[in-house]
Amino acid sequence: MFRRQKKPLISSGAFLLTPRSSRLGILLLLSVLLGIALSPSLFLSLIPQPLGLYPGQRFFGCYLFLLVTCGCLAAISFLRGLKVDLRPLLLSLPFLLLIALGDLLWPQKYRVEPLLFVLFFGGAALLGGFLARGGWGVDFVKGLQSSIVVLSFFYGLIAILNYVYGIADQRYSVDEYVVWGFLNIRYWSHLASWFLPIVALTSIANPFPRFRLMKVFSFVAGAVWWWILFSTAARGATLGLFLAALLMLVIFRRDALPLLKAMTAHIASGICLWIVLTVILPLVLGGGVELRHVDADSSGRTPLWIEAWAMSLVNFPLGMGPQSWLTHDVLTTEYKSAIPLAHPHNMYLFWVAEYGWLSVLALALMVGGGFKRLIRSAGDRSEECKYYSRVVAVTASLAAAFIHAGVSAVFMAPASMLAGFFVISGGWALGFGKESSPSMGWPLRNSMLLRSLSGLVLGVLLVVGVQWLGEVQRYYHDNMVDRETYRGIGAPYAPRFWSHGDFPRQ
């Protein structure tokens, strides 16, 4: 009378799920969790909260990086059946150790930045190692795709609405209101470097094939974001994305063409939007066209780079210490007449100036090793026909961000760090996820000694982490008091950790 169910079922409580529906449920859960984690980088300004945009993103990132790192270490220590590939962490360990020495070798008023970098890169490596060992790299990237596309789509719609309202109010200066929810165009352009290759990926590799609207979201988001990029003349992001595309063509050759074609379609659509919305529409409504011009110079960055280079040679190869850029005696005549910005607008010169040449050498080895693994992982396409495209897209996203970091604070701004944390994790997961059971000796084997060491590190990190969060709180409250003090005498005050602005040299 009744037919038997031919498909195997997985029992979970009162629910019976097929393996396919169970996998889909996990993918949906990943998409939601990643969407929640990424949403503060774009939409925190829509949420009433007392901290403000930049500090709110910074606090969220600090708690997130510490939570993920401690969670991964706790899983290694206490869950016997759960294994993790520690090669991403070991590859980044020299850089992490050199940065961590910043809190030990140099006196500083606020010990906040070194541990932030350690938790950012270390937590991303540990999370990527878990995803790789469990074979969840592709699913993680699919969830990352869907969350980035949906968030970027709704951000683009609101950007167009803001633009229309601005034009209706006879405001034709595009950069004043097109990029909303950010204190500066640069902060938004950081996310464009991380997001746009992954947005284009969804046009050729839909994470939810039955949900065809996802490709529509991808196309609209890509077109609007490129329109914003052209309208605001964001040179760093544009340079990073175009150089990354050229690099993908050199490395992957024909296999990079599907992604590059999708990005080209988005760029062409963005140019059409720019012509219609930024040029024609203001003319039709009787206003003037105020286009941002692209400067051919360094926009005042050259004196900062010269000063950072000089700093890197003072205590070669160890640098002058964390936050020394804010407090050191000026070394070059070029910088004496420049605007005293809180960052040299080059992450690599920033690291060599404050943390030394050894740290950047260790970073280069980590990045080179990671890219090598990621590129090699694309050689075998037996798992999934769209796997190769995802490797190309994640590689392009990482390349664009690391190139952009040569002219901007990509690894300092909190919104960019939130986005980069998960993209880097996805890169580690894809790069080390092709080998389901790699031959690993100590300390890669999940042995009792490894679990004990992991538990010890976890205990130390919990103690240090709680103290660090207290230090972050102290720094925040002190900076708010100082802002009020300097505001009374008409001088700006914006410390680097809490805002990327001017710092009064005393």
Side-chain angles (χ1 to χ4, degrees), residues 281-303:
L281 184 60
L283 290 175
V284 171
L285 296 178
V289 180
E290 297 185 15
L291 302 179
R292 285 178 59 91
H293 65 282
V294 179
D295 295 326
D297 58 13
S298 64
S299 298
R301 290 181 174 89
T302 301

Side-chain angles (χ1 to χ4, degrees), residues 251-266:
I251 295 175
F252 298 106
R253 300 180 182 180
R254 291 183 179 180
D255 296 296
L257 292 179
L259 179 69
L260 297 184
K261 288 179 180 178
M263 291 186 68
T264 302
H266 291 179

Side-chain angles (χ1 to χ4, degrees), residues 38-179:
L38 288 171
S39 58
S41 64
L42 286 172
F43 297 107
L44 191 62
S45 61
L46 300 179
I47 303 173
Q49 41 91 23
L51 298 176
L53 181 62
Y54 199 100
Q57 292 172 340
R58 179 67 79 200
F59 269 115
F60 185 84
C62 289
Y63 282 101
L64 176 68
F65 303 153
L66 181 62
L67 179 63
V68 171
T69 305
C70 290
C72 291
L73 290 172
I76 298 173
S77 304
F78 303 115
L79 300 179
R80 294 185 179 182
L82 186 60
K83 297 182 179 180
V84 58
D85 192 338
L86 293 180
R87 288 175 295 178
L89 180 64
L90 295 181
L91 193 59
S92 59
L93 194 58
F95 177 73
L96 301 179
L97 291 176
L98 287 169
I99 294 295
L101 288 175
D103 275 337
L104 301 177
L105 297 180
W106 295 281
Q108 48 191 302
K109 187 174 182 180
Y110 300 102
R111 298 179 177 273
V112 290
E113 285 185 357
L115 192 57
L116 175 68
F117 292 127
V118 170
L119 294 174
F120 174 76
F121 287 105
L126 280 172
L127 179 58
F130 270 110
L131 296 169
R133 199 71 178 94
W136 291 104
V138 174
D139 291 301
F140 182 83
V141 173
K142 287 181 179 180
L144 193 62
Q145 280 181 256
S146 55
S147 60
I148 287 176
V149 166
V150 172
L151 293 176
S152 301
F153 172 77
F154 284 107
Y155 182 91
L157 292 184
I158 299 175
I160 291 178
L161 287 176
N162 284 345
Y163 179 78
V164 172
Y165 290 140
I167 292 293
D169 292 337
Q170 302 296 314
R171 291 185 291 123
Y172 300 102
S173 182
V174 175
D175 58 315
E176 291 183 359
Y177 50 87
V178 169
V179 176

Side-chain angles (χ1 to χ4, degrees), residues 296-363:
D297 58 13
S298 64
S299 298
R301 290 181 174 89
T302 301
L304 310 183
W305 296 343
I306 295 174
E307 180 72 12
W309 179 272
M311 287 178 62
S312 71
L313 302 178
V314 172
N315 292 325
F316 182 87
L318 297 177
M320 297 184 68
Q323 294 197 322
S324 58
W325 174 267
L326 306 176
T327 57
H328 78 285
D329 294 328
V330 177
L331 301 175
T332 62
T333 56
E334 292 85 355
Y335 189 64
K336 289 181 180 179
S337 58
I339 299 176
L341 295 178
H343 188 281
H345 280 275
N346 183 310
M347 289 301 305
Y348 310 111
L349 287 175
F350 160 75
W351 277 318
V352 296
E354 296 199 356
Y355 298 96
W357 284 95
L358 289 178
S359 66
V360 172
L361 176 61
L363 175 68

Side-chain angles (χ1 to χ4, degrees), residues 12 25 280 306 335 351 486 489-490:
S12 177
I280 297 178
I306 295 174
Y335 189 64
W351 277 318
Y486 281 93
I489 60 176

